[in-house]
Amino acid sequence: AQSVTQPDIHITVSEGASLELRCNYSYGATPYLFWYVQSPGQGLQLLLKYFSGDTLVQGIKGFEAEFKRSQSSFNLRKPSVHWSDAAEYFCAVGARDSGGYQKVTFGTGTKLQVIP
Amino acid sequence: DADVTQTPRNRITKTGKRIMLECSQTKGHDRMYWYRQDPGLGLRLIYYSFDVKDINKGEISDGYSVSRQAQAKFSLSLESAIPNQTALYFCATSDWELSSHEQFFGPGTRLTVL
């Protein structure tokens, strides 16, 4: 079974600073990987996804993530954070279970606070 | 208009009451899901459905039931609500045709059980 770990529960960065949110996954083969963002009072919105090809993927709102198989990681980055990026971010991994179902497992989330 | 809608958006109820949360989608997707979100626990899958005749339990189905009335509608019921079912509930959809299996989420229903 797959699993996802987001080791940082809460991160605070200054506006304009760079950001990296960590995500590690456990799965025996190449998984599908996702980053979602949840703004206060909102549902989850997909930021970006990886399932094959270039290991550096670009997403919406200036975010990018890099798949590193050797480290089982899929960290999310942004070079310059804006106050509107304050939200909770979820990493997710999709993989086939024994029944052939593409199951998606979510991490516990990282809450981002942006200070002026 | 939103592609995935949930009703109600907020609900307060009492222990022992039966509650139904509804989800509708206009995306034409075949797959639908119900998750609950609790602080510090992320999203946990309650039930999922591949089509109207296919319903599957997720990791935390006890105390819940679902109904897939049509391809576009997927309802979650709490037969006898209890306080530890207080949570934020999300419906999501996906399409087998999408090779990435991206899920699309509704805005959520905040349920409080007193």
mmCIF file of all heavy atoms in Angstrom, chain A residues 10-14 81 86-87 111-115:
data_model
loop_
_atom_site.group_PDB
_atom_site.id
_atom_site.type_symbol
_atom_site.label_atom_id
_atom_site.label_comp_id
_atom_site.label_asym_id
_atom_site.label_seq_id
_atom_site.Cartn_x
_atom_site.Cartn_y
_atom_site.Cartn_z
ATOM 1 N N HIS A 10 3.307 22.971 9.727
ATOM 2 C CA HIS A 10 3.069 24.402 9.586
ATOM 3 C C HIS A 10 4.384 25.065 9.164
ATOM 4 O O HIS A 10 5.440 24.758 9.739
ATOM 5 C CB HIS A 10 2.593 24.977 10.922
ATOM 6 C CG HIS A 10 2.091 26.382 10.831
ATOM 7 N ND1 HIS A 10 2.908 27.474 10.932
ATOM 8 C CD2 HIS A 10 0.841 26.865 10.661
ATOM 9 C CE1 HIS A 10 2.178 28.585 10.830
ATOM 10 N NE2 HIS A 10 0.931 28.246 10.655
ATOM 11 N N ILE A 11 4.315 25.954 8.174
ATOM 12 C CA ILE A 11 5.493 26.706 7.719
ATOM 13 C C ILE A 11 5.125 28.171 7.611
ATOM 14 O O ILE A 11 4.031 28.504 7.122
ATOM 15 C CB ILE A 11 6.002 26.170 6.363
ATOM 16 C CG1 ILE A 11 6.771 24.859 6.564
ATOM 17 C CG2 ILE A 11 6.881 27.188 5.657
ATOM 18 C CD1 ILE A 11 7.354 24.294 5.296
ATOM 19 N N THR A 12 6.025 29.017 8.062
ATOM 20 C CA THR A 12 5.836 30.460 7.932
ATOM 21 C C THR A 12 6.965 31.031 7.096
ATOM 22 O O THR A 12 8.140 30.752 7.363
ATOM 23 C CB THR A 12 5.835 31.144 9.312
ATOM 24 O OG1 THR A 12 4.771 30.610 10.106
ATOM 25 C CG2 THR A 12 5.635 32.648 9.166
ATOM 26 N N VAL A 13 6.604 31.800 6.075
ATOM 27 C CA VAL A 13 7.609 32.450 5.225
ATOM 28 C C VAL A 13 7.226 33.915 5.046
ATOM 29 O O VAL A 13 6.049 34.282 5.163
ATOM 30 C CB VAL A 13 7.757 31.767 3.854
ATOM 31 C CG1 VAL A 13 8.190 30.328 4.014
ATOM 32 C CG2 VAL A 13 6.485 31.869 3.065
ATOM 33 N N SER A 14 8.220 34.710 4.748
ATOM 34 C CA SER A 14 7.977 36.118 4.453
ATOM 35 C C SER A 14 7.566 36.282 3.010
ATOM 36 O O SER A 14 8.030 35.538 2.128
ATOM 37 C CB SER A 14 9.229 36.943 4.725
ATOM 38 O OG SER A 14 9.601 36.855 6.086
ATOM 39 N N VAL A 81 7.066 33.923 -2.805
ATOM 40 C CA VAL A 81 5.727 33.690 -2.273
ATOM 41 C C VAL A 81 4.939 34.996 -2.177
ATOM 42 O O VAL A 81 5.476 36.041 -1.807
ATOM 43 C CB VAL A 81 5.839 33.035 -0.880
ATOM 44 C CG1 VAL A 81 4.490 33.000 -0.184
ATOM 45 C CG2 VAL A 81 6.390 31.630 -1.014
ATOM 46 N N ALA A 86 -1.052 31.901 1.070
ATOM 47 C CA ALA A 86 -1.368 31.361 2.389
ATOM 48 C C ALA A 86 -2.550 30.402 2.266
ATOM 49 O O ALA A 86 -3.641 30.789 1.831
ATOM 50 C CB ALA A 86 -1.698 32.491 3.356
ATOM 51 N N ALA A 87 -2.331 29.155 2.622
ATOM 52 C CA ALA A 87 -3.329 28.102 2.418
ATOM 53 C C ALA A 87 -2.768 26.819 3.009
ATOM 54 O O ALA A 87 -1.674 26.796 3.571
ATOM 55 C CB ALA A 87 -3.617 27.915 0.923
ATOM 56 N N LYS A 111 0.340 23.587 6.432
ATOM 57 C CA LYS A 111 -0.325 24.886 6.451
ATOM 58 C C LYS A 111 0.726 25.977 6.272
ATOM 59 O O LYS A 111 1.699 26.047 7.037
ATOM 60 C CB LYS A 111 -1.080 25.071 7.756
ATOM 61 C CG LYS A 111 -2.048 26.237 7.754
ATOM 62 C CD LYS A 111 -3.049 26.151 8.890
ATOM 63 C CE LYS A 111 -4.054 25.048 8.670
ATOM 64 N NZ LYS A 111 -5.163 25.070 9.673
ATOM 65 N N LEU A 112 0.551 26.806 5.265
ATOM 66 C CA LEU A 112 1.500 27.876 4.951
ATOM 67 C C LEU A 112 0.967 29.217 5.427
ATOM 68 O O LEU A 112 -0.144 29.617 5.073
ATOM 69 C CB LEU A 112 1.756 27.947 3.447
ATOM 70 C CG LEU A 112 2.626 29.118 2.973
ATOM 71 C CD1 LEU A 112 4.039 28.982 3.516
ATOM 72 C CD2 LEU A 112 2.643 29.208 1.457
ATOM 73 N N GLN A 113 1.768 29.881 6.224
ATOM 74 C CA GLN A 113 1.467 31.238 6.653
ATOM 75 C C GLN A 113 2.455 32.180 5.981
ATOM 76 O O GLN A 113 3.661 31.901 5.951
ATOM 77 C CB GLN A 113 1.578 31.368 8.171
ATOM 78 C CG GLN A 113 1.269 32.754 8.703
ATOM 79 C CD GLN A 113 1.430 32.857 10.220
ATOM 80 O OE1 GLN A 113 1.939 31.943 10.866
ATOM 81 N NE2 GLN A 113 0.995 33.968 10.788
ATOM 82 N N VAL A 114 1.972 33.277 5.439
ATOM 83 C CA VAL A 114 2.830 34.264 4.772
ATOM 84 C C VAL A 114 2.759 35.560 5.565
ATOM 85 O O VAL A 114 1.673 36.107 5.785
ATOM 86 C CB VAL A 114 2.378 34.500 3.321
ATOM 87 C CG1 VAL A 114 3.286 35.525 2.640
ATOM 88 C CG2 VAL A 114 2.367 33.191 2.542
ATOM 89 N N ILE A 115 3.925 36.029 5.987
ATOM 90 C CA ILE A 115 3.981 37.266 6.763
ATOM 91 C C ILE A 115 4.552 38.394 5.915
ATOM 92 O O ILE A 115 5.372 38.154 5.029
ATOM 93 C CB ILE A 115 4.792 37.074 8.051
ATOM 94 C CG1 ILE A 115 6.211 36.586 7.749
ATOM 95 C CG2 ILE A 115 4.075 36.122 8.997
ATOM 96 C CD1 ILE A 115 7.087 36.467 8.974
#
